[in-house]
Amino acid sequence: MKLTAVAAVSENLVIGKNNSLPWNIPEDLKRFKNLTSGSPIIMGRKTYESIGRPLPNRTNIVLTQKGYSSSDKIKVFSNLDNLLNYCEDLDNEVFVIGGSEIYKLLEPYCSKLVITHVLKEFDGDAFFPINLENWKLLSSEEFTDESSQLRCEIKIYNKT
Ligand SMILES: NC(=O)c1ccc[n+]([C@@H]2O[C@H](COP(=O)([O-])OP(=O)(O)OC[C@H]3O[C@@H](n4cnc5c(N)ncnc54)[C@H](OP(=O)(O)O)[C@@H]3O)[C@@H](O)[C@H]2O)c1
């Protein structure tokens, strides 16, 4: 099992506001799609509702204790142990795509982080819960999103 968390995080650690993203960065969404397509993705129920539909070409795994059951579109788990048992049998890299609760829950099982640092402060109500000081920086790449003109840095971290 190889778990990788993927997140976009502002300078003041905001990741969400009113159950949606506080920014629109098409370039980052494109990179997210390229990275995760063909792989399983794990998300919390709130993030699933915020996206509003299963993401195509990926096995969508949703953690929730209420509301949803598994179908041909999504795989639902109601507890961590069952989720981890399922992931143990997967050969692919599995991406943990948020939100805040799920990053926190799964950080101990992740071996890699792919973080888009959005180089600006934003108002928000959901925050990135992982202390990056406990992780080792492997690489960094900067880009400016053309439509929003936001500067971003994609950084990849490994467990120290
Ligand atoms: N910037 C980014 O990269 C990024 C990425 C993803 C999301 N976000 C943002 O993050 C925010 C949402 O984050 P959030 O922390 O509020 O919610 P979340 O992590 O998406 O979902 C939380 C839900 O997950 C379920 N859950 C949590 N722990 C569980 C467990 N041990 N077993 C079973 N189910 C469990 C619960 O669902 P039930 O209540 O149904 O039981 C809980 O309410 C939104 O604003 C979203 O836009 C940002």
Side-chain angles (χ1 to χ4, degrees):
M1 171 177 81
K2 179 172 168 51
L3 281 190
T4 297
V6 187
V9 182
S10 77
E11 279 182 340
N12 54 333
L13 302 183
V14 164
I15 63 162
K17 185 178 182 184
N18 300 328
N19 210 29
S20 103
L21 293 177
W23 45 71
N24 179 22
I25 309 178
E27 176 65 28
D28 193 49
L29 295 177
K30 199 160 72 182
R31 286 166 187 256
F32 174 82
K33 185 178 170 190
N34 288 340
L35 180 68
T36 60
S37 283
S39 301
I41 50 176
I42 301 172
M43 70 200 95
R45 189 260 308 164
K46 291 181 184 169
T47 293
Y48 179 67
E49 290 184 350
S50 145
I51 297 170
R53 69 194 160 99
L55 288 174
N57 306 319
R58 283 151 277 195
T59 303
N60 286 243
I61 300 166
V62 179
L63 263 170
T64 176
Q65 288 181 320
K66 58 184 184 216
Y68 292 94
S69 46
S70 289
S71 67
D72 54 341
K73 300 224 160 60
I74 57 171
K75 282 205 156 302
V76 175
F77 289 93
S78 60
N79 72 63
L80 180 61
D81 287 347
N82 291 350
L83 171 73
L84 292 174
N85 280 340
Y86 172 79
C87 290
E88 285 295 348
D89 294 335
L90 299 173
D91 294 332
N92 298 37
E93 186 170 10
V94 178
F95 293 97
V96 176
I97 68 158
S100 186
E101 278 188 46
I102 274 20
Y103 292 134
K104 187 170 182 192
L105 183 71
L106 291 178
E107 179 190 1
Y109 309 96
C110 288
S111 54
K112 183 176 161 191
L113 308 177
V114 179
I115 307 299
T116 301
H117 293 275
V118 183
L119 301 179
K120 196 179 161 184
E121 298 204 347
F122 282 82
D123 282 338
D125 52 24
F127 293 87
F128 190 60
I130 296 177
N131 183 353
L132 292 172
E133 287 182 5
N134 299 328
W135 290 75
K136 187 173 76 181
L137 180 63
L138 279 192
S139 68
S140 177
E141 183 196 338
E142 198 171 317
F143 71 90
T144 300
D145 177 64
E146 212 173 287
S147 76
S148 64
Q149 284 300 304
L150 285 166
R151 271 199 323 125
C152 300
E153 262 176 352
I154 299 201
K155 293 191 173 179
I156 298 179
Y157 300 84
N158 267 6
K159 270 247 159 81
T160 49

